Amino acid sequence: MSRWQYFLRRVLMSIPVVIFGTTITFALIRLGPLDPVSAILGTQYNPQAAEQIRTNLGLNQPLWSQYLDFMYRLFTFQLGQSWVIAPGTTAYELIEIYAPRTIWLGFWSVVIALFVGIPLGFYAGLNPNTPSDYVASFGGIVWRAMPNFWLAIMLVTALSQLGTWTNGLFTWQTWIVRTNVVTPPALGFFQSPVEQFLEDPGGWTESFIRATKQIAPAALVLGSASMGNEMRIGRTAVLETINSNYVETARAKGVSGRSLVWKHIFRNALIPLVPIITGEAFLLLGGSVFVETVFAINGLGWLFFNAAINGDLPLIGTLMFIFILILVGTNILQDFLYTIIDPRVGYDGGITVSTTTETEIPLRQRVAENPQPALIWAAVGAVLIGVELGAILQVVGAIAGVVVNLIPGDPGASAVQSLQAAFDAIPTLISRDVIPNQGYWNGTGYENTFLGLSPAVAWAIRVAVVYAYAFAVLAWAWNGYKRFRRHYRRVDWTPRDDVVNRFRGHSWGKFGLIIVITFVVMAVFAPTLGPTTMEQNILQPYDYEVSYWSEDTQSVETVLVGEANLGSGSQGAGDENVAPLTYDDFGRFHPFGTATNGKDLFTQVVFGARISLTIAVVAMGIAGLIGLALAMITAYYKGLADLATVLVSDSIQALPVIMVLILMLVIFQNTWVRELYDGAVLIILIFSIVYWPFIWRSIRGPALQVSEQDWIDAAKSFGQTPTQVMRKHMAPYVFSYMLIYASLSLGGIIISVAGLSYLGLGITAPTPEWGRLIANGQQYVASPSWHISLVPGLLITLVVTGLNAFGDGIRDAIDPQADTGDEAAATGGGA
Amino acid sequence: MSTEQASSARTEGEPLLSIENLRTSFYTDKEVIRAVDGISFDIFRGETVGIVGESGSGKSVTARSIMRLVEKPGRIENGRIMYDGEDLLDKSPKQMRSIRGGSIAMVFQDPLTSLNPVYTVGNQIKEALRLHRGLSGSKATKEAIELLEAVGIPDAHRRVREYPHQFSGGMRQRAVIAMALACDPELLICDEPTTALDVTIQAQILELLEELQEERDLGIMFITHDMGVIAEIADRVNVMYAGEIVESAPVVELFESPKHPYTQGLLNSIPGQGLDEDERLATIEGDVPTPNEDPTYCRFAPRCPKAFAECDTVHPVPVDVGDSADDHRASCLLYPEDLPSEEAVAVHREGGQRGGDTR
């Protein structure tokens, strides 16, 4: 197959993808529980008007006829009109108003990403392991780990405050041309640029500069993730190319340094950058929702978001169709670029496969023969578990309670309750009761705190003990693995040892692992780590009291927590602010300060960590299972199964992730699913549905490779069933590739969830979420209450950096050559 | 390239390339590895000099040192590489670039990866033509087609526009050789050019090299670990072990009467040397050691079946071991054979004290 035949085939393949993607949109809009008519009529709902609109929209027709109508209109570009946010305005008019701003924004963010990201990456690749390489690489990694919406908030604040900070030396607003920080760009000069320029060159140039300056900060934020990706991939690509044989051949031919770099290195290094560059389209579309919201650029992203939250379903359908066209068009462009740039396209070359072997060990017998190392290890484990036994049993009791609750009639509820009470009575080392910090000053000393220490110190001790315990458990587990390896394993070496050893030598990965552990411990021990509890401080503040030393009366007073919260909110001004690491007026210590409503920020942050981690891990787990199962089936049976899955996954991948998430959250807004765990369950389901194609894509190649192996034929010839072959002989090989992809995607999910919550669509109150905290403190970033937005944002950046570093480490450990592609996964689709 | 012709070339005139006491070291965090440690040999016009040795014996580093393509953390530390009467180690990077590809060309081991996949084969040959002969445009294309024809690629005027992935392995190696020959080099360095190829293709490539050598009076340095290939192509053989040349002899002499125990071991490990049916093929136990300090002993001693006490304390120097004037030298304390063992050791001990670093 020639290159151009291959390209043609890709173009033809995109037609069913557009059709299928649009069909999914139709299904979402019409089959979902959201009624378009009630959204249109809003409060003026009456049956007569409703019937009228129903007829107008064709909702009385049978579903198949509606579907055909919907598809026919879109594919003939009869895009319809808006019904809710701008009733009567046609979609064309709306697009004409909103699209130029988004195009202008997208143009500049692509320019920034391309002309900063790629040169920096190439420079770093040409000078590896130098200080400038470290600065550029680390900078790029952190830069892309920052959530767009948070970065945008911080940048807006910084630009607005520049004048104050520099004592008027430099103000962004008056620099070069006068503009506002937050504004839609004035693009009037764009209508007939040539004539306008000829008429008034100076004025036109000024408008051009003004519009560029207006968009620049937003473009910088929007381009940030792509810039980081391009830098990373550019660096790796250059490094790989430099060490290739053809570069050495060229050198031996007498090619000079400059020509070597330009002709033989850069050209080849561009190939892996192609999908990253075209992948920007996804990040830009998704990110535009957030960036346009923060910077008040009324573009397409903002239009879509408003149409979605207002239930303007006809407009949503049209916009989705346009987004699909843009993304599919970008994919075609990507294939075109590939065809131009890489002559190997369409050529089926042999792929080499590394093989892994496993050995099964009857462990029990080996332990019996040499019990001492195992006994020592078990004894240490017993102590470690023993001190936390109460907590573990409490969790068991809680789960039993949930199970009983689910069974109709609640059989044995009383038994479970008494069991829970018994479990609660078992003392545990690391609990609020053993190291209490919620005491008060009685005029001479602290009461009800650990050893009479101040609440801050008592809290710090508890946190230190929790982390010491967590790391002790991990050290114990690691030690167990080493003991097993030394004393009980039948073989001296397995391929997995190499994986472990490679990871141990990967300091960047280990840095990531430590951050990830810190984050996981934060989520697991959330109730213990907080200076106060969720129940007392956040959920039921008016059911609890707090004692404090009153300066006025010189005595210990008692107040309801809720009232105390009202008096200790952080709302900007000096006396209405509780900064990090300070006490409020009621003697309560706040490690991260308080939120605007006076609730403890640290407690919210640790519980936010819990929900972020739960969503990311569970969603990735479900998506992984779907992806793995499909990969097995498609690799084993190939043919039609593969083709069908390609079609479905391509169609889902052709939808802008963030838009789909927003749309689905809006559609399921008032359903019972939305209520479960304050929306977390729904979010998990949506993420699983949206993410499985990405996982399937990343493991399809390895799955196909393994299905060609001789051992698969051997297994079949032994008469093993297809499921057995898939489970035992194929899945373990592919699993590690899935692990790589999943670990690289977790950070992206965390950012996306935060982004959706920031928009008010994700996790709802009362469950704390980092994105909502950022939204909560957004207007106080420039005030003394900066901590509300800053702390969660920094934590997201840190955790995502850690997860990405950990993912890099796992990838390099499992398969240094692994090409998991899709860097966009690590950046949350642009949130 | 008959042996008579080559040996007559040896007696006449200057060598084309003369390497004296070359040492190339790699500086790692842990140690300094002397990948090439004080080797000397000559290559004359029209002569093929083979370098044989196990993996890690320093063959490829020798080739890269001649081309000055040793990269960090490697460094050429000592010696001279005399080419055309001038020391290549004194050349500026710019002068060196015109020598690379122009006067000395190199063919690498893996033809599958030594062509840039994104440019046509013709483009890559033309690049060399432009660099060294200032040819461009249709002239260069014509020349490239001729070169491809010269290396036996059929339908060359079509093939010149094709990409490397459209060539088979053997074709690719032919293309790489065409590229190397583009500027009429006088010396061709082949770093295991046949290792990655099928046996039949191997034979074709060897034949091609012999033809080209005859036509152009090329000096060829041929690196391989395959004694069979060496027997086929070389006029003279240098056997390398742990960065040193342990034996050097004309090819027939070497195969007929190998002197160094290592060479003997190598030859015994070749299948099909008229062994009896129940006789087992000999192997040399152990691995090549990493040469990381000044040699004060024989590096082969730990694996040598004939080692004796002095082998651990005296570093052998090359001594004449040939029966005739054939310039056959080996670095082994067993020689000179006509002397009693103690005196032979003394010869090496004295030899080792002479000579030092020249740069």
Side-chain angles (χ1 to χ4, degrees):
Chain A
M1 183 164 35
S2 87
R3 298 153 72 185
W4 294 101
Q5 275 172 325
Y6 175 83
F7 174 62
L8 199 69
R9 210 180 68 150
R10 298 286 306 173
V11 173
L12 287 176
M13 270 293 282
S14 61
I15 296 171
V17 166
V18 174
I19 296 176
F20 211 79
T22 318
T23 308
I24 295 173
T25 311
F26 174 82
L28 279 177
I29 293 175
R30 293 290 152 86
L31 303 182
L34 195 61
D35 179 21
V37 178
S38 53
I40 290 166
L41 288 170
T43 50
Q44 299 154 15
Y45 189 88
N46 69 68
Q48 222 175 345
E51 194 54 34
Q52 180 65 34
I53 290 171
R54 244 172 247 287
T55 321
N56 284 352
L57 285 176
L59 293 180
N60 294 331
Q61 308 282 326
L63 206 58
W64 60 267
S65 141
Q66 283 186 44
Y67 171 68
L68 289 181
D69 195 45
F70 177 85
M71 298 298 274
Y72 175 76
R73 278 167 194 258
L74 286 180
F75 281 88
T76 51
F77 290 96
Q78 301 171 34
L79 300 182
Q81 61 171 58
S82 161
W83 283 84
V84 183
I85 57 171
T89 319
T90 65
Y92 277 113
E93 283 175 282
L94 286 170
I95 290 166
E96 212 177 299
I97 297 167
Y98 291 95
R101 298 175 186 142
T102 301
I103 293 169
W104 186 243
L105 171 66
F107 168 75
W108 280 107
S109 58
V110 169
V111 166
I112 290 175
L114 286 184
F115 290 90
V116 179
I118 296 182
L120 271 181
F122 280 7
Y123 176 80
L126 289 174
N127 304 283
N129 302 325
T130 56
S132 45
D133 170 37
Y134 290 138
V135 170
S137 303
F138 189 71
I141 286 162
V142 173
W143 188 243
R144 79 191 190 127
M146 289 192 234
N148 269 343
F149 66 95
W150 179 74
L151 194 58
I153 294 170
M154 293 300 140
L155 196 58
V156 166
T157 312
L159 292 179
S160 316
Q161 296 300 312
L162 263 181
T164 326
W165 292 343
T166 59
N167 271 332
L169 279 178
F170 180 88
T171 43
W172 172 258
Q173 287 92 331
T174 56
W175 181 61
I176 307 182
V177 284
R178 176 165 281 281
T179 54
N180 288 332
V181 177
V182 170
T183 175
L187 295 172
F189 67 96
F190 226 54
Q191 264 151 11
S192 46
V194 183
E195 286 162 42
Q196 282 169 307
F197 180 75
L198 290 177
E199 227 166 79
D200 177 11
W204 190 88
T205 312
E206 200 192 313
S207 335
F208 180 85
I209 292 173
R210 172 172 296 124
T212 308
K213 188 187 156 191
Q214 283 166 333
I215 214 74
L220 184 70
V221 172
L222 192 51
S224 65
S226 317
M227 198 166 88
N229 290 341
E230 273 154 30
M231 222 180 77
R232 274 165 51 87
I233 300 296
R235 175 177 183 273
T236 326
V238 165
L239 270 178
E240 269 171 21
T241 315
I242 280 186
N243 293 322
S244 68
N245 288 343
Y246 53 79
V247 167
E248 190 169 30
T249 310
R251 210 173 268 152
K253 210 158 63 173
V255 177
S256 71
R258 184 179 302 165
S259 161
L260 198 69
V261 166
W262 285 102
K263 181 174 175 184
H264 287 279
I265 296 178
F266 283 1
R267 171 71 197 276
N268 294 70
L270 276 180
I271 295 173
L273 275 169
V274 166
I276 307 299
I277 294 169
T278 52
E280 274 187 39
F282 285 85
L283 294 178
L284 295 185
L285 269 185
S288 65
V289 176
F290 299 95
V291 173
E292 287 176 5
T293 305
V294 177
F295 282 94
I297 299 161
N298 300 337
L300 281 184
W302 183 86
L303 180 68
F304 178 87
F305 177 59
N306 272 290
I309 54 173
N310 289 312
D312 198 340
L313 295 184
L315 185 60
I316 290 171
T318 303
L319 288 175
M320 276 301 260
F321 178 67
I322 288 167
F323 293 150
I324 292 170
L325 285 187
I326 293 174
L327 293 180
V328 169
T330 316
N331 277 341
I332 292 176
L333 179 73
Q334 171 181 330
D335 288 326
F336 179 72
L337 285 176
Y338 263 141
T339 316
I340 298 275
I341 210 171
D342 187 354
R344 288 163 297 182
V345 157
Y347 171 80
D348 296 319
I351 306 157
T352 49
V353 183
S354 62
T355 55
T356 7
T357 45
E358 306 280 329
T359 318
E360 288 187 38
I361 311 128
L363 182 61
R364 186 180 301 220
Q365 197 185 332
R366 324 217 126 239
V367 174
E369 281 162 14
N370 178 17
Q372 202 198 356
L375 284 178
I376 295 170
W377 184 75
V380 175
V383 172
L384 281 171
I385 293 172
V387 296
E388 277 290 284
L389 187 66
I392 296 166
L393 290 176
Q394 277 170 32
V395 173
V396 173
I399 293 171
V402 172
V403 171
V404 166
N405 248 327
L406 286 177
I407 302 168
D410 293 3
S414 55
V416 168
Q417 255 163 25
S418 62
L419 199 66
Q420 281 175 347
F423 287 158
D424 285 349
I426 300 173
T428 50
L429 173 65
I430 310 162
S431 74
R432 316 187 62 85
D433 304 331
V434 177
I435 312 173
N437 70 316
Q438 286 169 289
Y440 52 88
W441 180 256
N442 63 9
T444 52
Y446 283 105
E447 268 184 44
N448 295 340
T449 64
F450 181 60
L451 302 176
L453 294 163
S454 71
V457 175
W459 170 81
I461 289 174
R462 196 165 69 226
V463 170
V465 169
V466 165
Y467 274 94
Y469 178 78
F471 279 96
V473 168
L474 286 167
W476 170 74
W478 171 243
N479 183 269
Y481 170 74
K482 285 206 299 196
R483 276 169 196 268
F484 166 69
R485 212 160 121 169
R486 191 170 339 121
H487 299 289
Y488 302 116
R489 199 165 64 186
R490 190 195 294 276
V491 288
D492 288 339
W493 178 89
T494 71
R496 198 153 294 157
D497 291 3
D498 278 2
V499 171
V500 172
N501 289 342
R502 274 200 293 269
F503 190 85
R504 289 180 73 186
H506 198 286
S507 32
W508 175 236
K510 281 191 291 188
F511 160 78
L513 179 65
I514 288 174
I515 303 235
V516 170
I517 291 173
T518 310
F519 172 61
V520 171
V521 170
M522 190 187 255
V524 170
F525 288 91
T528 319
L529 284 174
T532 175
T533 65
M534 181 89 169
E535 174 83 7
Q536 284 177 26
N537 194 260
I538 294 157
L539 298 178
Q540 311 287 349
Y542 289 95
D543 290 357
Y544 293 89
E545 286 183 336
V546 58
S547 303
Y548 68 102
W549 173 258
S550 167
E551 290 292 331
D552 299 340
T553 59
Q554 290 293 311
S555 63
V556 175
E557 304 272 334
T558 305
V559 66
L560 285 173
V561 173
E563 279 166 22
N565 283 351
L566 286 181
S568 51
S570 295
Q571 304 196 2
D575 55 341
E576 273 189 67
N577 181 49
V578 180
L581 294 176
T582 54
Y583 290 90
D584 63 16
D585 295 345
F586 304 93
R588 300 180 300 177
F589 179 67
H590 299 287
F592 284 172
T594 60
T596 48
N597 54 12
K599 293 179 176 177
D600 181 57
L601 193 65
F602 188 88
T603 310
Q604 303 201 46
V605 162
V606 288
F607 279 94
R610 196 171 239 203
I611 194 143
S612 293
L613 186 72
T614 311
I615 292 176
V617 169
V618 177
M620 216 9 101
I622 298 176
L625 276 181
I626 301 174
L628 185 64
L630 280 172
M632 292 298 101
I633 292 167
T634 54
Y636 190 88
Y637 294 106
K638 303 191 178 72
L640 197 63
D642 190 48
L643 191 69
T645 318
V646 166
L647 188 64
V648 175
S649 82
D650 272 11
S651 309
I652 293 181
Q653 283 182 299
L655 302 169
V657 177
I658 292 289
M659 314 290 191
V660 173
L661 292 172
I662 290 174
L663 183 56
M664 287 176 92
L665 283 168
V666 168
I667 287 173
F668 291 97
Q669 215 163 25
N670 298 316
T671 57
W672 58 272
V673 200
R674 186 74 176 90
E675 304 302 316
L676 299 176
Y677 202 175
D678 290 323
V681 172
L682 178 63
I683 292 178
I684 287 171
L685 288 176
I686 295 175
F687 271 101
S688 320
I689 294 168
V690 172
Y691 265 84
W692 74 258
F694 294 90
I695 292 198
W696 178 73
R697 272 278 167 197
S698 72
I699 58 174
R700 178 173 173 246
L704 279 172
Q705 279 175 26
V706 74
S707 71
E708 303 286 328
Q709 293 296 315
D710 288 342
W711 75 74
I712 302 297
D713 287 339
K716 285 182 194 166
S717 70
F718 293 146
Q720 295 200 340
T721 62
T723 38
Q724 268 176 323
V725 173
M726 288 183 215
R727 220 182 45 236
K728 278 188 66 181
H729 299 283
M730 289 167 67
Y733 177 83
V734 177
F735 188 77
S736 54
Y737 289 89
M738 201 178 80
L739 202 67
I740 298 172
Y741 189 86
S743 64
L744 284 171
S745 311
L746 285 177
I749 295 188
I750 289 176
I751 291 184
S752 301
V753 174
L756 293 168
S757 302
Y758 167 79
L759 292 176
L761 290 172
I763 304 297
T764 48
T767 302
E769 210 288 334
W770 293 0
R772 242 186 31 254
L773 290 175
I774 293 176
N776 183 268
Q778 182 174 358
Q779 60 189 113
Y780 301 108
V781 178
S783 78
S785 304
W786 45 265
H787 57 268
I788 311 171
S789 272
L790 194 75
V791 169
L794 286 179
L795 282 176
I796 294 178
T797 308
L798 188 67
V799 167
V800 173
T801 305
L803 279 167
N804 290 347
F806 180 55
D808 284 347
I810 289 188
R811 181 192 53 208
D812 292 347
I814 291 177
D815 181 0
Q817 257 85 51
D819 177 25
T820 44
D822 215 67
E823 284 285 313
T827 43
Chain B
M1 166 199 58
S2 61
T3 310
E4 305 90 71
Q5 187 196 332
S7 47
S8 69
R10 282 224 145 221
T11 51
E12 295 161 17
E14 287 282 295
L16 182 61
L17 180 84
S18 174
I19 292 176
E20 292 164 30
N21 214 8
L22 175 71
R23 184 171 76 226
T24 304
S25 303
F26 286 81
Y27 285 76
T28 67
D29 290 343
K30 270 185 270 172
E31 56 193 356
V32 178
I33 297 167
R34 301 176 165 208
V36 172
D37 197 2
I39 62 167
S40 306
F41 63 90
D42 297 335
I43 301 177
F44 287 80
R45 263 172 229 282
E47 183 190 42
T48 303
V49 173
I51 310 260
V52 281
E54 290 166 82
S55 315
S57 57
K59 305 179 305 264
S60 292
V61 176
T62 307
R64 282 165 176 71
S65 301
I66 296 170
M67 296 296 272
R68 299 245 325 257
L69 285 175
V70 178
E71 280 181 51
K72 274 183 191 171
R75 207 188 295 169
I76 300 174
E77 289 193 312
N78 184 41
R80 272 197 297 224
I81 302 173
M82 302 304 290
Y83 176 80
D84 237 4
E86 289 172 61
D87 190 349
L88 293 183
L89 298 180
D90 292 336
K91 300 280 182 194
S92 71
K94 199 178 167 204
Q95 287 170 321
M96 203 55 223
R97 274 204 299 278
S98 75
I99 289 171
R100 278 182 213 137
S103 313
I104 307 178
M106 190 156 169
V107 175
F108 289 93
Q109 178 174 358
D110 189 356
L112 299 173
T113 56
S114 47
L115 288 167
N116 192 329
V118 304
Y119 296 106
T120 60
V121 171
N123 180 321
Q124 298 182 55
I125 297 175
K126 282 189 271 179
E127 186 181 28
L129 290 171
R130 184 173 47 75
L131 281 170
H132 298 293
R133 284 163 64 183
L135 291 179
S136 59
S138 58
K139 255 191 195 164
T141 312
K142 205 171 139 249
E143 183 69 30
I145 294 173
E146 273 168 26
L147 279 164
L148 286 180
E149 272 166 359
V151 296
I153 291 181
D155 205 6
H157 64 276
R158 185 174 59 83
R159 289 263 158 175
V160 78
R161 285 194 306 272
E162 291 192 341
Y163 287 94
H165 69 263
Q166 291 166 299
F167 279 50
S168 68
M171 284 287 179
R172 261 186 246 189
Q173 195 60 296
R174 282 171 191 268
V176 171
I177 292 172
M179 199 162 82
L181 294 177
C183 308
D184 262 329
E186 295 175 300
L187 177 66
L188 188 63
I189 298 176
C190 302
D191 187 359
E192 309 216 18
T194 56
T195 309
L197 302 173
D198 289 345
V199 181
T200 48
I201 311 285
Q202 261 187 27
Q204 288 173 16
I205 296 285
L206 292 181
E207 210 170 295
L208 172 70
L209 285 172
E210 284 182 9
E211 279 169 28
L212 292 169
Q213 181 174 45
E214 218 158 313
E215 272 169 34
R216 300 168 186 239
D217 202 23
L218 279 172
I220 295 183
M221 176 176 149
F222 197 97
I223 295 172
T224 184
H225 59 250
D226 186 335
M227 290 305 263
V229 169
I230 277 292
E232 188 99 356
I233 193 157
D235 298 312
R236 205 182 157 72
V237 185
N238 294 309
V239 181
M240 277 191 85
Y241 185 80
E244 299 175 311
I245 292 181
V246 293
E247 184 162 6
S248 169
V251 66
V252 178
E253 168 95 8
L254 187 91
F255 277 81
E256 276 174 3
S257 61
K259 297 295 185 189
H260 198 282
Y262 177 62
T263 318
Q264 290 164 354
L266 273 186
L267 291 173
N268 283 336
S269 63
I270 303 173
Q273 293 273 302
L275 293 176
D276 295 330
E277 264 183 39
D278 52 345
E279 221 177 325
R280 291 199 52 176
L281 206 56
T283 55
I284 307 175
E285 293 292 327
D287 294 311
V288 183
T290 308
N292 54 6
E293 75 265 316
D294 220 15
T296 55
Y297 58 93
C298 174
R299 284 183 175 142
F300 187 58
R303 300 167 75 186
C304 183
K306 297 180 185 166
F308 51 98
E310 276 81 1
C311 291
D312 290 331
T313 54
V314 178
H315 181 242
V317 294
V319 291
D320 280 320
V321 293
D323 309 326
S324 55
D326 250 345
D327 193 16
H328 183 174
R329 292 146 80 78
S331 305
C332 177
L333 299 187
L334 292 170
Y335 303 97
E337 234 168 350
D338 45 356
L339 295 181
S341 177
E342 277 162 40
E343 283 177 40
V345 170
V347 168
H348 289 279
R349 193 172 279 141
E350 274 166 38
Q353 276 150 7
R354 269 183 286 120
D357 287 5
T358 52
R359 51 175 68 225

